[in-house]
Amino acid sequence: MAETAETPVLRRMLGARRAALGLSEMTPAKAMRLSLAKTGDRTLGVPIVLKDLGRKSLMPDDLAAALPDPALILRLDGPGGAVGLAVMCPQAVAAAIEAQTLGKVLPGAAPDRKPTATDALLMRDLVEMTLESFASLAADCTGLPAMEGYGFAGRMPDARVSAMALQDAAHLHLIAELDFSGGVKTGQLHFVLPNRTRAAMPGTAEEPGDWPDLMEKAVMASPVSLEARLCRLRLPLSEVSRLHVDQVLPLEQATLDGVELRGMDGRKLMGARLGRSGAMRAVRLRSGDAPPPQPALSAGLGPMSAAPAMPAATGPAAPGLAPADLAAPDFDAPGPLPLDPAPLDPAPLDPASSTPDFPAPEPMALDDIPALDPVPMPGIDLPD
């Protein structure tokens, strides 16, 4: 029953399937080797090989004697207020920095130096990804505490201060001997984590019946990408190949109220109105598929512009005309008009009676888009 409470249901099912297929059992060394190989490829772009993995029990008072000096010590905060440490020796830090900045690991030993806050930021992804992958792969290994949910929380000044941050109890001490780029550099990566069982961690399944609720929480907490589409424009390949900077593309069907919010599969979810909230671009969701008529936009690779609607002509009616006189008279349907090959010279127009010319619309920048008043929602505080 204790094993059932400590092991998630899905992992027990996978472990039984692996045993039925005759696959090798997962061990801490194998889990660390796979984790470092994946982390080295994704974060550094160079191979990292595990030469050896040591496992000990460590008390906080013995921390200074068990860690290399000097060393980069990173604090790891876990669920429920748990505190752990990730420690890297100077050679491991130098190899990781060389791979990130130069694209390769330089041969020869690097000089020992005092670590900095910049070193800690550069090692953050390497440490977090390694521990996350190791915790997932080694979840079925016996004798290991819960290692899920730890994240980078800052750099510790030295081993003495680090020991004070740990709980006064026995901790798991993992010592990974690393090989960078086929032996160009070697170093050590240490993990010091409290011995906490999975049953004591918040949000851990203790009974098989909790599995649907946990799956629902995991799925509902997953990130989803949405796309606000102003309009679609189809161009021949010949025109696309001639596009250049500052070229203006006419978007005849684009309107501020005609924005469509679409999901990852391209399916339309709802309509929206384009606007801004402070310094951020924003859209206001609306219901219905028919947006209200708005002036068309003309947008290109540069600023967006809008053609304002022309005002309706107003003024007094012509003298001597009754409303009945304004009705259109009945005419017979006109027949076809003969075509005259000679062009007609238009009669000169009287400037006083001609329609005045309206200036071309000025381009409208994105900052000129009207701001949207925030709609208060329960549980959400919107910035001023």
Side-chain angles (χ1 to χ4, degrees):
M1 188 65 182
E3 181 180 356
T4 302
E6 294 180 3
T7 306
V9 179
L10 183 59
R11 295 198 177 279
R12 293 204 313 274
M13 296 170 59
L14 294 177
R17 180 63 176 171
R18 185 166 54 240
L21 295 177
L23 301 178
S24 60
E25 183 180 359
M26 182 63 67
T27 62
K30 182 178 180 180
M32 183 62 74
R33 182 171 66 254
L34 295 176
S35 302
L36 288 171
K38 181 175 68 173
T39 302
D41 181 66
R42 293 186 178 182
T43 62
L44 303 183
V46 299
I48 303 179
V49 178
L50 176 68
K51 299 173 59 179
D52 188 24
L53 179 65
R55 185 172 65 173
K56 300 179 180 179
S57 179
L58 178 67
M59 294 296 295
D61 295 340
D62 304 327
L63 183 65
L67 299 182
D69 186 27
L72 174 63
I73 306 177
L74 306 180
R75 172 169 172 158
L76 304 175
D77 285 352
V83 177
L85 301 175
V87 184
M88 298 182 66
C89 71
Q91 299 304 315
V93 173
I97 292 179
E98 291 169 358
Q100 290 180 340
T101 57
L102 303 178
K104 62 179 181 179
V105 180
L106 301 180
D112 292 344
R113 61 177 179 84
K114 186 177 180 180
T116 64
T118 303
D119 297 335
L121 294 177
L122 291 175
M123 299 301 108
R124 175 176 183 172
D125 293 341
L126 172 65
V127 169
E128 286 186 337
M129 185 176 295
T130 300
L131 184 58
E132 179 183 2
S133 179
F134 178 73
S136 177
L137 293 174
D140 292 337
C141 299
T142 58
L144 292 180
M147 294 173 287
E148 297 88 353
Y150 285 89
F152 173 81
R155 181 178 69 94
M156 303 298 289
D158 51 41
R160 182 185 63 85
V161 178
S162 302
M164 297 173 59
L166 299 178
Q167 183 183 5
D168 189 15
H171 287 66
L172 173 67
H173 183 198
L174 296 176
I175 309 167
E177 300 286 344
L178 308 182
D179 182 304
F180 295 88
S181 296
V184 177
K185 270 189 175 65
T186 59
Q188 290 184 347
L189 172 62
H190 300 245
F191 286 110
V192 180
L193 302 173
N195 288 315
R196 306 179 70 219
T197 60
R198 289 182 176 85
M201 295 181 63
T204 303
E206 298 184 0
E207 295 295 337
D210 295 336
W211 166 251
D213 296 336
L214 293 177
M215 176 60 73
E216 180 181 358
K217 292 179 181 179
V219 173
M220 297 303 294
S222 302
V224 177
S225 299
L226 298 178
E227 180 184 81
R229 182 179 297 177
L230 185 62
C231 72
R232 297 185 63 179
L233 180 64
R234 295 181 179 271
L235 294 175
L237 181 60
S238 57
E239 295 186 19
V240 174
S241 61
R242 293 195 298 266
L243 293 178
H244 57 83
V245 180
D246 294 334
Q247 180 177 352
V248 178
L249 301 178
L251 306 179
E252 299 178 355
Q253 298 180 352
T255 61
L256 295 179
D257 288 279
V259 179
E260 295 181 352
L261 199 65
R262 295 183 175 268
M264 301 177 63
D265 56 353
R267 182 170 54 91
K268 179 181 176 181
L269 302 178
M270 62 180 61
R273 173 179 173 80
L274 180 64
R276 59 182 175 85
S277 177
M280 303 292 293
R281 303 293 180 265
V283 291
R284 167 164 289 172
L285 306 182
R286 60 174 178 79
S287 60
D289 295 332
Q294 290 290 332
L297 299 179
S298 176
L301 302 181
M304 300 178 61
S305 60
M310 297 177 59
T314 58
L321 293 178
D325 299 331
L326 299 179
D330 297 331
F331 293 98
D332 295 334
L337 298 178
L339 298 178
D340 189 356
L344 298 178
D345 295 333
L349 298 177
D350 184 6
S353 62
S354 61
T355 304
D357 296 332
F358 289 89
E362 295 293 335
M364 183 175 63
L366 286 177
D367 291 336
D368 298 331
I369 297 177
L372 302 177
D373 296 330
V375 178
M377 300 180 65
I380 300 179
D381 296 329
L382 296 178
D384 295 335

